[in-house]
Amino acid sequence: MSGGRYGPETDRTYERAGFGAAVRRGSRPALVVVDLTRGFTEDRFACGADLTDVVESTATLVRAARAAGAPVLYTVIAYTPAEAEGHSVTWLDKAPGLRVLTEGSEAVAIDPRLPREPEDVVVVKKGASAFFGTSLAANLVAAGCDTVLLCGATTSGCLRASAVDAVQSGFPVLVPRECAGDRAQGPHEAALFDIDAKYGDVIGLSEALDYLRRLPDA
């Protein structure tokens, strides 16, 4: 675990608690791109931010995953008009800014700068985690995957929630730092610290690319 951000006392506390060990790297990873839709990657949307750098880094990772034979899966948040306008999704009462994410709208379109292919699975979700109430875990099991490379937005919200559920579903988690983005730097860094301490390894994009290049099928 990368130390120092919150001081030596925090580092000692986490080390004493036994957090921060490295996770295993499997031979059949999948790349899961969480919610890099226009509503999150473009700052013209109230719930979004300019995540150009994150999108470009993720595009590089997608191409590398495809070259290595690793499945690429995308997630999007999309609500029916009834869900977006009503109170059946409790999360929307807490985060009403997400009500713009309606089915078929521009806000839920996957960022066109990403090299999505027709064979890529797209998982529609209603909550923060890419796993909760979706087919993602079954998709990964069916593809024989043993590791999840996780990227997307937002780091402190859907990405972190997905990392927690991924490891709880039995998948080691790797998060390339350059491929994660948020609306504000403080929550972004805090979430990366938390993921790296408890749920997966936060790594550099170069390390992720090297990992993919070394796979048996690459």
Side-chain angles (χ1 to χ4, degrees):
M1 184 179 72
S2 299
R5 177 167 297 277
Y6 297 102
E9 183 177 351
T10 297
D11 291 343
R12 287 193 294 269
T13 298
Y14 274 66
E15 183 178 359
R16 181 175 179 272
F19 292 129
V23 304
R24 67 183 184 274
R25 272 75 163 158
S27 61
R28 181 61 176 165
L31 174 59
V32 178
V33 181
V34 177
D35 298 353
L36 287 186
T37 56
R38 301 183 78 165
F40 290 112
T41 63
E42 299 178 12
D43 57 9
R44 64 191 178 94
F45 293 96
C47 59
D50 182 6
L51 298 184
T52 297
D53 290 345
V54 172
V55 172
E56 291 177 349
S57 294
T58 301
T60 298
L61 192 62
V62 169
R63 294 186 185 98
R66 213 179 305 283
V72 179
L73 303 92
Y74 293 86
T75 77
V76 303
I77 300 176
Y79 298 110
T80 66
E83 290 168 335
E85 296 167 12
H87 299 280
S88 63
V89 181
T90 304
W91 189 28
L92 296 182
D93 292 332
K94 181 66 177 178
L98 300 183
R99 292 184 185 275
V100 301
L101 302 174
T102 56
E103 291 178 346
S105 70
E106 195 176 23
V108 304
I110 293 172
D111 194 299
R113 294 170 290 183
L114 292 169
R116 179 186 163 201
E117 296 291 343
E119 66 268 21
D120 297 336
V121 171
V122 177
V123 175
V124 178
K125 63 191 184 74
K126 308 292 183 178
S129 170
F131 289 85
F132 182 79
T134 76
S135 62
L136 181 57
N139 295 144
L140 295 173
V141 170
C145 297
D146 59 8
T147 304
V148 172
L149 274 164
L150 198 62
C151 56
T154 61
T155 318
S156 61
C158 297
L159 189 68
R160 182 190 174 279
S162 299
V164 173
D165 277 359
V167 72
Q168 290 181 149
S169 298
F171 298 101
V173 176
L174 304 173
V175 178
R177 175 181 290 271
E178 296 91 334
C179 300
D182 212 317
R183 303 177 188 89
Q185 193 66 17
H188 168 75
E189 293 293 345
L192 288 179
F193 178 90
D194 195 48
I195 291 169
D196 196 47
K198 303 171 186 173
Y199 308 114
D201 286 357
V202 176
I203 61 178
L205 176 58
S206 59
E207 182 179 345
L209 295 174
D210 186 61
Y211 166 56
L212 289 169
R213 282 193 293 264
R214 293 173 180 270
L215 294 175
D217 294 337

